[in-house]
Amino acid sequence: MAPRKKLSESARKPRASSRKNPHPQRLSPGDWFEKLVAIQKRLRDPGGCPWDREQTHHTLRTYLIEEAYEVLDALESGDDEKFVEELGDLLLQVTFHSQIAAEAGRFDVSDVIRAVHEKMIRRHPHVFGEKRAKDSAEVLRNWHRIKAQERRAKDSADPSTATERKPESALDGVPRAIPATLEGLQLTKKAARTGFDWDDAAGIFEKMNEETNEIQHALKAGDRPKVEEELGDLLFAAVNLARFLHVDPEIALKNANAKFVRRFHEMERLAADGGRKFENVPRAEKEALWLSAKISEQTRTGPIPKSVPAEEAVTARKAGERR
């Protein structure tokens, strides 16, 4: 049985039974969570599921990333049932990793919940303490200040590890395991907080033009390593532009990918309607099919908004900056 399928079945058994029952048992979130934790423990216990028992933190890495992206897909779909299901699969990953750690005597799911509970209280003194924040910008400043204090407190509590660490940097805290576009986005955000930033988008466009010219020079020179380096610089500049414009580059690229797939499928359909396989269509006609697919999609969906409402842009930016 495929690993991905097994994970889904483990998570969905409780949902399948609740569907059959027109009056499902009304339990609190805590009760349901305890049931989920118990199921995960049962799957890992002797006599449980052979596949679940074989998993480690390392082997589950791919599924953790996959589930996060499937949650995003479900969110975009507007299908609440799918959204609930995918959020459940993501929650299952938390219980899975916690159970593996508990078996090794490291920590359990209660420690995970306690840690985030205490962190939320510490980092919201304007809600749970005496301090007040006049707006969300001040909330973000306090958030980053408190994070820095926490980091220094950890170093003070364990001086031996503090000496092994590199000098503190404004870029600290960006995980290397995240997708490159998100890593670049977080790095440019942190750099901008230090005052290292362009005054306007025009400066970033100029940088992108500069990088494009350098790619062309590297191509003419036949220097493949240099081409890769300069292309990376261009992509980084594009991510920085996305940050400056309050756009999540990962989501923007995902949407662009989806748009390409839609239009490519339309080109294939148009070719098939003409009795031909798409790969056999001459290059010039493929360009015409692409234009037809583009016009057809724009006709169906209407004009694309020229800009994101300012309030939405600010909300999206702050959501991305906070953690």
Side-chain angles (χ1 to χ4, degrees):
M1 184 176 293
R4 179 68 185 83
K5 185 177 180 182
K6 182 61 191 177
L7 275 175
S8 297
E9 288 180 353
S10 299
R12 294 169 191 168
K13 283 181 181 178
R15 294 187 72 251
S17 61
S18 65
R19 282 179 183 173
K20 294 177 182 179
N21 185 354
H23 301 291
Q25 187 178 5
R26 300 296 298 179
L27 298 176
S28 70
D31 290 334
W32 278 118
F33 188 75
E34 287 185 8
K35 283 178 171 288
L36 176 61
V37 172
I39 286 175
Q40 190 59 66
K41 183 177 184 305
R42 177 71 181 87
L43 291 171
R44 292 275 302 176
D45 280 345
C49 172
W51 184 87
D52 284 75
R53 285 173 53 78
E54 291 173 359
Q55 301 315 302
T56 65
H57 292 302
H58 209 72
T59 63
L60 291 174
R61 289 180 307 167
T62 300
Y63 303 116
L64 182 60
I65 295 171
E66 284 181 0
E67 298 299 357
Y69 278 114
E70 289 183 6
V71 168
L72 288 178
D73 284 341
L75 185 155
E76 294 292 340
S77 74
D79 184 337
D80 281 352
E81 184 175 1
K82 182 177 177 61
F83 198 12
V84 167
E85 180 177 335
E86 298 303 342
L87 283 172
D89 286 348
L90 185 59
L91 179 60
L92 178 67
Q93 289 297 307
V94 176
T95 64
F96 209 150
H97 281 280
S98 299
Q99 178 59 33
I100 292 172
E103 292 164 7
R106 296 163 55 199
F107 61 84
D108 61 22
V109 72
S110 294
D111 296 313
V112 173
I113 297 171
R114 175 188 52 77
V116 70
H117 176 271
E118 293 178 352
K119 180 169 70 174
M120 289 301 98
I121 292 176
R122 283 197 312 273
R123 295 191 183 177
H124 291 85
H126 52 287
V127 176
F128 302 106
E130 299 296 327
K131 293 186 177 181
R132 291 293 176 264
K134 62 180 180 181
D135 53 30
S136 56
E138 186 174 350
V139 170
L140 288 175
R141 287 194 296 271
N142 290 339
W143 182 276
H144 295 297
R145 177 180 53 77
I146 295 170
K147 279 183 67 174
Q149 290 174 348
E150 290 171 354
R151 193 160 50 240
R152 288 192 292 270
K154 287 180 181 179
D155 290 345
S156 298
D158 191 355
S160 62
T161 59
T163 56
E164 298 172 3
R165 292 194 180 104
K166 295 179 181 179
E168 188 172 308
S169 168
L171 300 182
D172 288 346
V174 178
R176 296 300 306 274
I178 60 176
T181 52
L182 294 183
E183 181 184 13
L185 180 64
Q186 291 194 23
L187 288 172
T188 57
K189 283 179 178 178
K190 286 178 176 289
R193 292 189 197 114
T194 70
F196 180 71
D197 200 5
W198 282 260
D199 291 332
D200 52 33
I204 306 180
F205 279 123
E206 184 178 342
K207 179 64 176 175
M208 293 176 69
N209 288 332
E210 176 188 324
E211 300 299 349
T212 300
N213 291 332
E214 290 181 358
I215 292 173
Q216 292 173 339
H217 291 318
L219 281 171
K220 289 178 182 178
D223 188 341
R224 300 305 301 180
K226 189 66 174 176
V227 169
E228 179 180 301
E229 177 186 342
E230 298 301 343
L231 181 58
D233 289 345
L234 176 61
L235 292 172
F236 187 84
V239 169
N240 192 30
L241 177 62
R243 188 268 313 169
F244 199 91
L245 299 177
H246 311 314
V247 172
D248 187 316
E250 190 74 13
I251 292 177
L253 182 56
K254 276 284 188 181
N255 290 339
N257 291 343
K259 180 169 65 176
F260 176 80
V261 170
R262 289 195 306 271
R263 293 179 179 177
F264 196 90
H265 286 169
E266 178 66 7
M267 287 195 298
E268 291 176 322
R269 187 191 67 78
L270 292 171
D273 287 348
R276 296 181 293 177
K277 288 187 176 181
F278 180 72
E279 54 265 32
N280 297 331
V281 175
R283 171 66 182 271
E285 290 186 43
K286 285 177 179 174
E287 294 289 344
L289 288 177
W290 174 264
L291 181 59
S292 296
K294 181 177 179 179
I295 293 173
S296 175
E297 181 176 62
Q298 290 176 344
T299 301
R300 290 193 308 271
T301 60
I304 299 174
K306 292 184 178 179
S307 63
V308 177
E311 186 176 346
E312 284 186 30
V314 172
T315 301
R317 172 175 59 82
K318 289 174 179 174
E321 285 181 351
R322 183 162 136 173
R323 296 300 185 269

